[in-house]
Amino acid sequence: FCLAPSKNAPIAQRMELQLLQKMNFRKNVLDISALTYFIPKKFRTALIQSYGVVTEADADVVLDASGFSYGDQWSGIVLKQLALEVSRFKRKNKPYIFMSQALGPFSGENCKPAKKAFLASKLIFSRDVESFKHVKQLIGDKSHHCLSPDITHLIESDNRFESKKFSKYNKHIALIVNSKMLSNKNLDKKAQATYIEQMHCVINILQQKKQLIVMLNHDGLADREICEQLNLKLINKIEILEFECPIEVKQFIGSCKGVISSRFHGCVSALSQAVPCIAFSWSHKYQMLLDDYDFSEFLISSTSTDKDIELMLESFVKLNEIDRNKLAQQSSVNQESVKVAWGKIKACIDIK
């Protein structure tokens, strides 16, 4: 088992956990990873044993859990690299599996490499109806293309983390920010311009309603800076929490009264544990997730006015156990769907 390079998996942490790293030999459109198949086996083995580096030649299968990396919001170079890699895996009779993720839309020059990659893959799991539609428009009806919820629905609490330290937050609403709302990846320019203002509107209304609030830094330094920026304008500062382990993050979210999140997995972690959630959206994946839980009315978009937000929050703070039970029922349905997806994956790579 090896991990692809990622800012969320720095080499120091990988080494500490004794995890191997898949090394990609590519830069922009130049990709020489195919040459790794010509490196003698003994040298590739030495790379693994001495440095923990795995080349493509020694990777037997790819489980691509990118989350949201393929579509018009991202660089077209990524899709070109992807098409080359997936095609090589198919030629070598090695499965490339797109785990449940948001995909698309695809237009213009992005269509050809995306279509090539999806047709060459062994399995594709679109995470929502909109993503499924985007992929289907490229490749048509294919048996290896399925609809499946996010895999983190199956992640459970861990008894290594004391639930007692979270109990004091069970009457709190957790706010989760997202630096991507302010980046050029967010194609809604109005949302970029109004995000901080809308988040302040949410905070002010909640404080006026005497609601307890805590901010959760879900994703590193850039999100931390937004949390601190929001606090600067507040007379009553809000506590900012950070946890290193994602399982601990989910466990904390499950202990809260409610969540208002701009991070997709913050939303999933809430809804999958029957915690009511309002989402700030910067792509179709948020609306699709809320639709799945019949919670569509709890989406803040760039067109939401201060009055819209106030009315939404009035409804939100009144949600009760009946509403939580409905969320729990849908979460159970989604968990079963994810189990079915894992069954297909295990069959594909012949895990007994």
Side-chain angles (χ1 to χ4, degrees):
F1 180 82
C2 59
L3 292 174
S6 165
K7 69 179 180 65
N8 294 319
I11 189 167
Q13 289 186 348
R14 287 198 304 272
M15 291 176 66
E16 182 180 341
L17 297 172
Q18 298 183 339
L19 294 173
L20 302 177
Q21 175 183 307
K22 179 177 177 286
M23 180 63 71
N24 295 320
F25 295 89
R26 63 191 181 206
K27 179 69 173 178
N28 296 329
V29 293
L30 178 64
D31 189 342
I32 60 171
S33 299
L35 298 179
T36 63
Y37 292 93
F38 297 97
I39 300 174
K41 177 71 174 178
K42 65 178 182 179
F43 290 116
R44 301 203 311 266
T45 301
L47 277 176
I48 295 172
Q49 294 176 345
S50 301
Y51 302 103
V53 171
V54 178
T55 67
E56 183 181 302
D58 288 307
D60 300 313
V61 59
V62 169
L63 301 179
D64 185 328
S66 297
F68 184 38
S69 294
Y70 308 127
D72 289 341
Q73 286 174 272
W74 310 96
S75 169
I77 292 175
V78 172
L79 283 171
K80 291 175 182 178
Q81 292 174 340
L82 179 70
L84 290 172
E85 182 175 5
V86 182
S87 297
R88 286 196 302 270
F89 268 73
K90 184 178 182 180
R91 287 196 299 271
K92 297 293 181 179
N93 199 30
K94 300 193 293 187
Y96 194 106
I97 298 171
F98 289 96
M99 304 287 285
S100 180
Q101 57 190 286
L103 298 162
F106 304 98
S107 63
E109 294 183 355
N110 287 334
C111 292
K112 185 176 179 180
K115 180 178 181 179
K116 182 179 179 180
F118 293 140
L119 287 175
S121 66
K122 196 69 174 179
L123 286 171
I124 311 165
F125 294 98
S126 289
R127 195 166 58 191
D128 56 73
V129 174
E130 191 74 12
S131 296
F132 189 90
K133 181 182 74 174
H134 293 320
V135 176
K136 183 179 177 180
Q137 286 174 343
L138 290 179
I139 66 174
D141 285 308
K142 298 296 180 182
S143 60
H144 74 297
H145 180 208
C146 316
L147 186 65
S148 180
D150 191 80
I151 59 174
T152 62
H153 275 87
L154 291 183
I155 294 178
E156 299 177 345
S157 299
D158 192 319
N159 57 17
R160 288 178 301 168
F161 306 117
E162 293 183 31
S163 57
K164 288 182 180 179
K165 71 178 181 180
F166 299 145
S167 61
K168 70 175 183 176
Y169 297 103
N170 59 19
K171 296 187 184 301
H172 283 64
I173 294 174
L175 303 182
I176 302 174
V177 303
N178 185 350
S179 59
K180 285 192 174 71
M181 290 289 296
L182 303 175
S183 78
N184 58 10
K185 302 301 182 187
N186 184 355
L187 301 183
D188 186 340
K189 301 306 177 187
K190 185 177 179 183
Q192 281 188 43
T194 60
Y195 177 57
I196 297 296
E197 181 184 331
Q198 284 186 324
M199 188 61 86
H200 266 129
C201 177
V202 167
I203 293 170
N204 289 333
I205 293 171
L206 289 176
Q207 288 184 335
Q208 288 167 15
K209 293 181 178 298
K210 309 300 182 185
Q211 296 294 314
L212 298 174
I213 312 170
V214 63
M215 280 194 274
L216 173 63
N217 178 12
H218 198 281
D219 200 67
L221 181 59
D223 283 10
R224 174 80 189 195
E225 289 174 352
I226 294 177
C227 292
E228 292 172 347
Q229 181 181 348
L230 290 170
N231 254 342
L232 283 175
K233 292 186 177 181
L234 297 176
I235 297 174
N236 298 316
K237 308 300 183 187
I238 300 174
E239 182 182 10
I240 302 172
L241 296 179
E242 296 175 330
F243 303 101
E244 187 171 331
C245 176
I247 297 177
E248 192 173 13
V249 171
K250 183 168 184 178
Q251 192 165 333
F252 168 76
I253 288 173
S255 72
C256 294
K257 171 185 174 180
V259 169
I260 299 174
S261 177
S262 320
R263 285 272 170 198
F264 179 80
H265 282 104
C267 297
V268 175
S269 292
L271 295 170
S272 64
Q273 297 181 94
V275 175
C277 178
I278 291 176
F280 274 82
S281 175
W282 68 281
S283 81
H284 69 268
K285 59 184 180 177
Y286 295 89
Q287 182 69 67
M288 294 294 101
L289 177 64
L290 292 177
D291 287 351
D292 190 35
Y293 277 90
D294 195 22
F295 233 56
S296 321
E297 67 271 28
F298 292 107
L299 180 80
I300 296 176
S301 70
S302 60
T303 60
S304 300
T305 64
D306 288 359
K307 187 63 178 178
D308 293 333
I309 294 172
E310 182 179 5
L311 293 173
M312 188 186 301
L313 289 171
E314 283 182 6
S315 299
F316 187 69
V317 298
K318 292 176 182 176
L319 293 172
N320 54 34
E321 200 61 30
I322 295 174
D323 300 294
R324 283 176 171 266
N325 288 337
K326 290 178 181 177
L327 293 177
Q329 290 170 9
Q330 184 57 46
S331 179
S332 295
V333 171
N334 287 344
Q335 288 172 17
E336 291 305 312
S337 297
V338 176
K339 289 176 184 178
V340 170
W342 273 114
K344 292 179 180 180
I345 293 168
K346 289 177 181 178
C348 177
I349 58 181
D350 198 26
I351 293 180
K352 306 299 183 185

